[in-house]
Amino acid sequence: MRGWGFRAASAALLAAGLAFTELADNPYYFNATYVVLQALIMAVAWNILGGFTGYVNFGSAAFFAVGAYTTIFLQKAFGLPLPLMILAAALVCGLIGLAVGYLTLRLKGVYFAIATLAMGIVLETLVNNWSYVGGAKGTFMLTPDEHLWFDSYSEMLFMIMLVLALGSIAVSRALSSSRLGRGLAAIRDDEVAAECSGVPTLRLKLVSTTVMGAMMGVAGAPYPYFVTYVDPISAFNLFIAVNAIAMPMIGGTSHWAGPVIGALLVGSAQEVITVTISSELNVLLVGIMLVLFITLAPQGIVGLARKHWRKRS
Amino acid sequence: MFSADLLANAVVSGLLLGGFYAAVAIGLAIVFGQLDIVNIAHPAFVIVGSYTAYILNSRFGLDPVLVGVLAAPLFFIVGVAIYRIYYAAFERTGQESLSGLAFFFGLMFIIEVTLILVYGVDYRLVSAGYSAQTLAFGFVDLPGRMLVPFVVAMTLTAAVWLYLSRTFMGRAIQAVAQDRGALQLMGADPVRIKQWAFGLGIATAAIAGALLIIIGPVEPSVGRQYIGRVFAIVVLGGMGSIQGMLIAALLLGVTENLVSTFYGPSWAPAVAFGVLLATLAVRPAGLFGR
């Protein structure tokens, strides 16, 4: 997809989203699409580090939760408007990403993966013991009364999420086709060779951990308004981290479209299964799909499609 | 709040806890320390061990430690099978860094969710004669539910250490860790040795799981708290050194217990991860690393 094509598609999606808020009134539609879009941002963010450089982040849920808790803190302390909170969440989570990356990215990739797991538990313990934001009991968030011209607050949240999702896809796409993205791909293929040919590997990796962290924070920032009750168990839920890994892996990690395809596919399937069968089974299915895809089709759907077209041509 | 007997009790029960941590970490010390396979699903297998002990204990009244020992060969076979899949799908194609990690993550998740689906999130426990008894030396208490796991864990650690340093197969496992190519030149098959070692690592999880459920009630997501602990112990111990691993486990047990005694138990989970992050940042080779 060339530049103008992508922009036209984004504009069309935005218009469709606006039309959707005008036409539909069943709040379930907005809640369901919100959940899928949230997972999409997380998947795109994970892929910026995981897919482009090959470093695995298991702590996605922690970045997400820090984003959510930044909102809660700012709401309680200053009562800021949502866009400012989203910015603040991006800043805080970007800095955390940078710090974790700086501590561990000079070591083998495995240590980064374990450190992100570790970071999740440390942050969860901190939040559990921080009574100002609710501690282990959790906290309630009141939904503000005003919602611009939308019919309800959840419609506005859906629109905000759509804008954020399109924005993160644009960032990921721009990264992958830029000079920076080629540097990241070089790191994934052979880090030593990349370093030897003059790619500033550490700096590039730090850029991508920062962008990844910021984007995950952005995905988490509106969450407290969406669910209206947040506790550490739900915000740091392992399922968020599993989804963030499974969606890019299933869609294909080597292309920016991979996590988008994976998120739309797996996310919608999850919504359908939750409604028709059960939410526990849905959680199990994601795990099984993840393991099956990485053992049998490590290139994901994008890889399968590429292979298919190559055979035909 | 601070007193000498409180401190003494915290240190002693920390040592007992640390000894038990050694049993949980020893499988990973083999698999991650020697074979370089990042099995983050190891604690999940420990939880499966706990549930095995729970089922056989509640149904037939078998002793949990006995169940652990009996289940170990089964776990060994499962471990061998998992390594075959891991080798065929990732190690042979050089995909282990990204896909291999995600594979074990998915495996951990599947085990946890399956246990929740079958047994729910209720805490399960076992009954054994010694778990309610307590030995007292002066003002230091040695509760049976901590003492028995400690003794079994020490026996297990000693047995694995003897196995790795004295037997032919044990030395072959250490050789795989050092130089795979040289091993092939000696006419040994590294894949078969690694498969054996991986099976051994998973087999220890059966025993560790039985010990875990003697110490306290278990529910499926408890395993996640152990991911940080076991990796902290193995990394701090210097990757693959059994003695280093044991010292690191005891250190962590005592530190965690001191923190939970003097600051409150809600801070204890962060200790292991703090230790791990600090080790990675300051001295990634560990205390006893090469």
Side-chain angles (χ1 to χ4, degrees):
Chain A
M1 221 188 282
R2 293 238 289 283
W4 57 267
F6 181 77
R7 264 173 237 144
S10 308
L13 276 172
L14 272 181
L18 278 174
F20 184 45
T21 57
E22 289 301 318
L23 295 172
D25 354 278
N26 187 343
Y28 169 73
Y29 293 130
F30 298 105
N31 290 346
T33 38
Y34 178 94
V35 172
V36 175
L37 287 174
Q38 171 186 301
L40 188 143
I41 302 178
M42 295 295 290
V44 168
W46 186 88
N47 203 49
I48 285 177
L49 187 72
F52 294 172
T53 66
Y55 280 83
V56 188
N57 170 18
F58 287 126
S60 310
F63 288 102
F64 177 84
V66 170
Y69 271 97
T70 307
T71 299
I72 291 173
F73 174 76
L74 290 178
Q75 163 68 27
K76 283 194 191 292
F78 311 109
L80 295 180
L82 186 57
L84 278 183
M85 291 177 179
I86 294 176
L87 270 182
L91 197 71
V92 172
C93 293
L95 282 177
I96 294 179
L98 182 66
V100 176
Y102 186 75
L103 281 180
T104 54
L105 279 178
R106 285 164 296 173
L107 305 167
K108 272 197 301 182
V110 176
Y111 292 117
F112 174 76
I114 301 166
T116 53
L117 263 177
M119 181 200 69
I121 303 273
V122 171
L123 291 174
E124 190 176 347
T125 310
L126 284 177
V127 171
N128 262 325
N129 286 289
W130 189 14
S131 52
Y132 186 71
V133 293
K137 291 198 308 288
T139 186
F140 285 97
M141 284 290 273
L142 291 177
T143 314
D145 290 329
E146 57 176 302
H147 31 75
L148 300 178
W149 65 87
F150 296 100
D151 298 334
S152 70
Y153 200 77
S154 61
E155 288 187 13
M156 192 181 85
L157 275 182
F158 156 75
M159 212 49 214
I160 290 175
M161 223 45 186
L162 183 62
V163 172
L164 293 175
L166 288 173
S168 53
I169 296 173
V171 169
S172 151
R173 181 174 164 276
L175 270 181
S176 73
S177 54
S178 69
R179 201 180 148 76
L180 186 82
R182 287 198 294 277
L184 295 177
I187 293 173
R188 178 186 57 212
D189 294 338
D190 191 333
E191 192 160 344
V192 177
E195 182 84 55
C196 292
S197 6
V199 178
T201 54
L202 181 62
R203 210 187 317 152
L204 291 189
K205 284 187 288 184
L206 288 179
V207 169
S208 53
T209 44
T210 312
V211 174
M212 172 202 71
M215 217 178 255
M216 287 180 172
V218 164
Y223 179 73
Y225 288 112
F226 177 67
V227 289
T228 65
Y229 168 72
V230 183
D231 67 342
I233 294 173
S234 64
F236 286 90
N237 200 328
L238 187 69
F239 187 50
I240 298 173
V242 172
N243 258 341
I245 296 175
M247 288 169 174
M249 283 288 190
I250 290 169
T253 53
S254 55
H255 194 267
W256 63 265
V260 180
I261 296 171
L264 291 178
L265 217 70
V266 178
S268 340
Q270 280 172 353
E271 286 305 313
V272 173
I273 294 169
T274 309
V275 174
T276 53
I277 310 173
S278 85
S279 56
E280 281 96 356
L281 199 68
N282 145 33
V283 172
L284 181 63
L285 275 178
V286 178
I288 293 174
M289 269 171 83
L290 170 65
V291 169
L292 281 182
F293 258 91
I294 50 187
T295 37
L296 302 175
Q299 305 299 317
I301 294 172
V302 170
L304 289 178
R306 273 189 186 154
K307 212 183 272 174
H308 181 71
W309 275 313
R310 216 166 284 159
K311 249 181 222 158
R312 282 185 38 184
S313 60
Chain B
M1 180 162 175
F2 189 90
S3 67
D5 58 339
L6 193 60
L7 180 72
N9 268 309
V11 170
V12 169
S13 62
L15 285 173
L16 295 181
L17 185 69
F20 157 69
Y21 284 169
V24 183
I26 198 163
L28 200 73
I30 301 171
V31 167
F32 179 48
Q34 304 280 5
L35 311 181
D36 253 343
I37 300 172
V38 192
N39 180 14
I40 50 174
H42 189 75
F45 286 106
V46 173
I47 301 296
V48 175
S50 293
Y51 272 81
T52 314
Y54 157 72
I55 294 162
L56 293 183
N57 178 268
S58 58
R59 199 155 295 170
F60 306 108
L62 289 178
D63 181 79
V65 176
L66 181 69
V67 175
V69 174
L70 290 179
L74 263 176
F75 274 59
F76 180 87
I77 295 168
V78 172
V80 168
I82 290 173
Y83 180 74
R84 304 279 330 173
I85 299 172
Y86 177 80
Y87 174 75
F90 311 113
E91 211 165 61
R92 205 179 42 190
T93 52
Q95 294 269 330
E96 63 256 45
S97 60
L98 181 71
S99 308
L101 268 173
F103 171 74
F104 283 118
F105 190 65
L107 207 60
M108 171 186 95
F109 191 67
I110 291 175
I111 293 175
E112 191 180 313
V113 176
T114 310
L115 283 176
I116 291 177
L117 278 174
V118 179
Y119 296 100
V121 289
D122 305 333
Y123 278 95
R124 307 285 171 173
L125 60 157
V126 290
S127 55
Y130 41 78
S131 54
Q133 288 165 359
T134 299
L135 289 178
F137 290 94
F139 53 78
V140 175
D141 288 338
L142 296 176
R145 65 173 187 89
M146 298 297 296
L147 192 60
V148 172
F150 177 79
V151 172
V152 176
M154 288 302 105
T155 318
L156 177 68
T157 310
V160 170
W161 180 73
L162 282 175
Y163 181 79
L164 285 181
S165 55
R166 296 289 146 80
T167 64
F168 179 79
M169 201 60 187
R171 290 179 187 190
I173 292 171
Q174 291 190 307
V176 165
Q178 278 180 7
D179 194 336
R180 194 194 152 100
L183 194 76
Q184 260 168 326
L185 294 179
M186 300 291 123
D189 178 2
V191 177
R192 277 187 53 195
I193 294 169
K194 288 181 94 168
Q195 155 187 333
W196 182 269
F198 195 90
L200 193 68
I202 300 296
T204 64
I207 298 172
L211 302 183
L212 175 66
I213 202 165
I214 295 175
I215 288 184
V218 170
E219 56 105 7
S221 68
V222 165
R224 247 182 282 150
Q225 294 175 6
Y226 281 87
I227 300 175
R229 287 196 184 118
V230 290
F231 277 98
I233 291 167
V234 173
V235 173
L236 186 65
M239 296 289 286
S241 146
I242 299 293
Q243 300 101 302
M245 189 272 313
L246 179 60
I247 294 170
L250 294 174
L251 263 176
L252 185 72
V254 172
T255 318
E256 255 187 28
N257 235 351
L258 287 177
V259 168
S260 71
T261 308
F262 294 107
Y263 292 94
S266 60
W267 286 103
V271 173
F273 292 96
V275 168
L276 177 62
L277 283 181
T279 314
L280 288 179
V282 180
R283 190 176 155 76
L287 290 176
F288 307 91
R290 292 155 281 203

